[in-house]
Amino acid sequence: MTTPGEFARVAAERVARVLRRAGETGATVSLALAGGSTPRPVYRELSQRPGLPWERVEAFFGDERAVPPDHPDSNYRMAREALLERVPVPPERVHRMEAERDDRDAAAREYGALLPERLDLLLLGIGSDGHTASLFPDSTALGEEERRVVPSEAPDEPRARLTVTPPVIRMARAAIVLARGEAKAGAVTAALEGPPDPGPCPARLARDRTWILDEEAASGLDRRSGDGDPTSEPPADTPAGGGGRG
Ligand code: 6PG
């Protein structure tokens, strides 16, 4: 049984390793954060990791709900409390998605223009329906190949969202999907062992990237990588479209 603390430690160390490697060139490191609840303990652990290039990190978000930044459902609020106010990322380098604006399409276009051509690291989660970021099954956003951020609608509240699109996931130099718990086992199996079509399971867009799973979320998988422990260290991610799986 993987404890929540073990999961957070393994995931934080994996994220830290990618950030350290990306930071070795001395350039800016672009990191897009996942929302939801799974990342919170991972972000807290990450904030404790030494030797990370926080002063050179540009922090972005993979998606956001159409709520104010201090709302309990805000991904920005979760990430600010669990990570961003605990590490020395310069405030001007924290780029919040303004999904609550009346003109959400304009907010999407402006945010898309902020994103780098290729993120150094994109963090993602997966819903029990197979969504990732705020790309939901059979949504038109899954066919978006030009815009980098678009408005989207969740099936449940909070419905109105902004989300990165498939090209942003594809072009990320590294991507890590975080998933814990039995409730995600079906979606994880569909994403990693089903057909490649992302329509019914958008998380398939990240199927060849790094996945950090606890035993429950991995319980439906036929095969294991690493030493059989789903939270074992997967192979390092490689540029655009390569990457290992945990
Ligand atoms: C969001 C997230 C979303 C999340 C999954 C899993 O805004 O909801 O970005 O993609 O990663 O819904 O959420 P949990 O971690 O809460 O299970």
Side-chain angles (χ1 to χ4, degrees):
M1 164 84 178
T2 312
T3 66
E6 285 168 342
F7 178 86
R9 281 189 294 278
V10 169
E13 191 43 48
R14 183 73 191 143
V15 172
R17 187 178 300 180
V18 175
L19 290 178
R20 279 192 200 99
R21 190 173 63 229
E24 282 167 357
T25 64
T28 298
V29 180
S30 54
L31 165 64
L33 296 168
S37 57
T38 302
R40 188 190 300 270
V42 179
Y43 293 163
R44 286 201 192 105
E45 273 291 330
L46 183 62
S47 72
Q48 306 299 315
R49 285 292 184 283
L52 295 183
W54 292 117
E55 294 80 2
R56 288 185 281 110
V57 165
E58 289 278 354
F60 298 93
F61 290 81
D63 71 326
E64 187 56 276
R65 296 86 177 272
V67 296
D70 58 353
H71 190 283
D73 287 343
S74 164
N75 289 336
Y76 165 79
R77 173 176 165 178
M78 182 276 287
R80 175 173 55 77
E81 291 174 345
L83 176 63
L84 298 172
E85 64 190 18
R86 299 169 184 235
V87 295
V89 178
E92 67 274 14
R93 289 184 170 212
V94 176
H95 306 289
R96 183 176 75 83
M97 272 189 175
E98 298 174 339
E100 77 281 12
R101 278 170 46 185
D102 290 341
D103 188 343
R104 202 160 22 114
D105 193 68
R109 292 184 186 282
E110 290 168 27
Y111 201 86
L114 269 183
L115 282 174
E117 177 64 26
R118 298 186 70 188
L119 288 162
D120 289 309
L121 175 57
L122 171 62
L123 299 182
L124 294 167
I126 182 172
S128 56
D129 63 354
H131 79 261
T132 193
S134 281
L135 294 167
F136 293 92
D138 305 317
S139 69
T140 53
L142 288 169
E144 178 60 56
E145 286 296 320
E146 299 306 319
R147 296 178 64 179
R148 303 164 65 65
V149 177
V150 294
S152 76
E153 304 303 321
D156 306 309
E157 291 299 341
R159 292 177 186 276
R161 310 275 184 110
L162 287 182
T163 185
V164 294
T165 57
V168 175
I169 298 174
R170 200 164 44 240
M171 290 297 287
R173 290 189 174 85
I176 296 175
V177 183
L178 305 172
R180 279 194 60 232
E182 188 68 37
K184 303 295 177 73
V188 166
T189 302
L192 295 180
E193 297 185 346
D197 173 16
C201 183
R204 288 173 178 162
L205 292 165
R207 68 197 264 131
D208 294 328
R209 298 312 196 110
T210 299
W211 290 58
I212 305 288
L213 308 170
D214 69 356
E215 285 160 357
E216 291 72 19
S219 59
L221 294 178
D222 285 337
R223 57 181 181 276
R224 294 278 193 279
S225 61
D227 57 9
D229 169 2
T231 58
S232 62
E233 287 304 289
D237 239 346
T238 53
R245 258 193 338 238

